[in-house]
Amino acid sequence: MRTVERIAELRAEIARARATGKRIGFVPTMGFLHDGHLSLVDEAKRRAQLVVMSIFVNPLQFAPTEDLSRYPRDAAGDAAKSSARGVDILFTPGVDEMYPRERRVEVVPRALHSRWEGTVRPGHFAGVLTVVTKLLNIVQPDVTIFGQKDIQQAMLVRAMVEDLDFASEIVVAPTTREADGLAMSSRNSYLEPAERVSATVLSRALFAMRDAFRRGERRVESLISTGRSVLDGERGVVIDYLTVADPATLEPVEDASEDSIAMVAARIGKTRLIDNVVLGR
Ligand code: AMP
């Protein structure tokens, strides 16, 4: 694996690979890698011959009140894990490399920005789309892999790629979970031991909703009260939202169907976690 910090050097490396006819797969991340990230590498390797992973904690997508300064980092561990999983090029630019001057342009979503994560985190998705635009322009991948765990992000990136004619295919890969159901996340490292136990309440609530759906419940009001009662059973959990949404628009629905998505965001102590499941899957 080659580790590259400079944009120009990365472009040169990728141009060499492309000249030999290789398809380029790309996995953008903020690092502190876990098995969820590495499952995206597996997906990229199935679809491309050269896999590029980026690790960049993007300041633009954090509000001043959020966890940018304490976001977990482990450069050595990340290099070892990505190399062992078969990443070919690890791109680890510094903030000055990505944002060398005051920005004059940003990419702002029109759809979806005022719902769910967009409401709770104003400006977050403009930060995401701006950095993803830069990364896609730098890497120019044939295929880029995102995780289902951040479903709204994946949908917005797909919308951007369609609306603005980016060349990359966008693939959304399933959520990887701990044995007890908790969706893997770099932010899980913030959790105190007791909070880590409580944190399973997100997936327990979603699984309870999915079980109710499988038993035939289609009324979203009822599904949400099922999920809410699981969440309410755990002390110290503050719900940001719990909803059942249409997979194409993420608008709330009244009657659930196989492809409806149950989504939750909640805070446990100082840690904010999100998760979702497809009800019929
Ligand atoms: P992050 O480093 O949190 O920005 O995540 C980088 C990519 O990994 C995003 O596409 C996430 O959706 C994806 N990802 C994060 N956690 C998981 C998980 N548990 N399973 C699958 N993909 C994930």
Side-chain angles (χ1 to χ4, degrees), residues 47-109:
R47 296 165 180 272
Q49 288 91 44
L50 182 100
V51 173
V52 180
M53 171 181 268
S54 62
I55 295 181
F56 179 61
V57 181
N58 174 34
L60 286 193
Q61 69 191 68
F62 290 78
T65 52
E66 290 181 349
D67 56 345
L68 174 62
S69 62
R70 67 180 186 124
Y71 197 84
R73 294 168 199 247
D74 177 14
D78 286 352
K81 286 175 194 166
S82 48
S83 169
R85 203 64 164 237
V87 169
D88 298 293
I89 302 179
L90 188 63
F91 179 47
T92 57
V95 173
D96 291 345
E97 181 72 3
M98 289 294 277
Y99 302 116
R101 64 186 83 81
E102 193 179 332
R103 280 172 311 110
R104 292 151 292 183
V105 172
E106 65 179 341
V107 182
V108 182

Side-chain angles (χ1 to χ4, degrees), residues 9-236:
E9 194 188 336
L10 181 68
R11 284 192 195 273
E13 283 274 338
I14 291 172
R16 268 197 290 282
R18 188 170 288 111
T20 67
K22 285 183 175 164
R23 262 174 72 82
I24 315 292
F26 180 42
V27 179
T29 80
M30 298 204 299
F32 208 73
L33 299 178
H34 50 66
D35 233 48
H37 296 118
L38 299 172
S39 75
L40 306 188
V41 173
D42 298 343
E43 189 63 46
K45 288 181 77 68
R46 282 192 281 275
R47 296 165 180 272
Q49 288 91 44
L50 182 100
V51 173
V52 180
M53 171 181 268
S54 62
I55 295 181
F56 179 61
V57 181
N58 174 34
L60 286 193
Q61 69 191 68
F62 290 78
T65 52
E66 290 181 349
D67 56 345
L68 174 62
S69 62
R70 67 180 186 124
Y71 197 84
R73 294 168 199 247
D74 177 14
D78 286 352
K81 286 175 194 166
S82 48
S83 169
R85 203 64 164 237
V87 169
D88 298 293
I89 302 179
L90 188 63
F91 179 47
T92 57
V95 173
D96 291 345
E97 181 72 3
M98 289 294 277
Y99 302 116
R101 64 186 83 81
E102 193 179 332
R103 280 172 311 110
R104 292 151 292 183
V105 172
E106 65 179 341
V107 182
V108 182
R110 297 187 70 190
L112 278 172
H113 60 91
S114 56
R115 280 255 181 233
W116 320 126
E117 293 304 289
T119 309
V120 185
R121 308 183 67 188
H124 169 66
F125 286 123
V128 169
L129 293 185
T130 300
V131 79
V132 171
T133 293
K134 288 174 66 73
L135 291 167
L136 292 181
N137 281 332
I138 294 164
V139 176
Q140 300 192 17
D142 296 285
V143 58
T144 307
I145 320 293
F146 287 87
Q148 166 84 20
K149 193 185 78 86
D150 300 281
I151 177 72
Q152 192 176 5
Q153 165 176 284
M155 286 179 62
L156 272 166
V157 168
R158 180 170 276 149
M160 175 179 82
V161 162
E162 289 173 6
D163 282 9
L164 302 183
D165 301 294
F166 285 72
S168 181
E169 178 190 352
I170 302 297
V171 169
V172 181
T175 301
T176 304
R177 299 179 178 282
E178 303 287 357
D180 62 8
L182 177 66
M184 289 187 184
S185 166
S186 308
R187 290 191 166 95
N188 293 347
S189 66
Y190 297 148
L191 298 166
E192 303 290 340
E195 293 173 341
R196 170 63 187 81
V197 175
S198 305
T200 60
V201 76
L202 277 81
S203 54
R204 282 190 277 121
L206 296 175
F207 295 165
M209 293 166 77
R210 191 174 60 187
D211 289 345
F213 179 86
R214 284 179 180 156
R215 287 194 302 270
E217 182 60 77
R218 293 293 179 270
R219 291 168 303 146
V220 164
E221 206 185 320
S222 160
L223 292 169
I224 287 179
S225 76
T226 297
R228 195 169 286 275
S229 66
V230 175
L231 288 161
D232 288 345
E234 195 70 52
R235 284 181 48 212

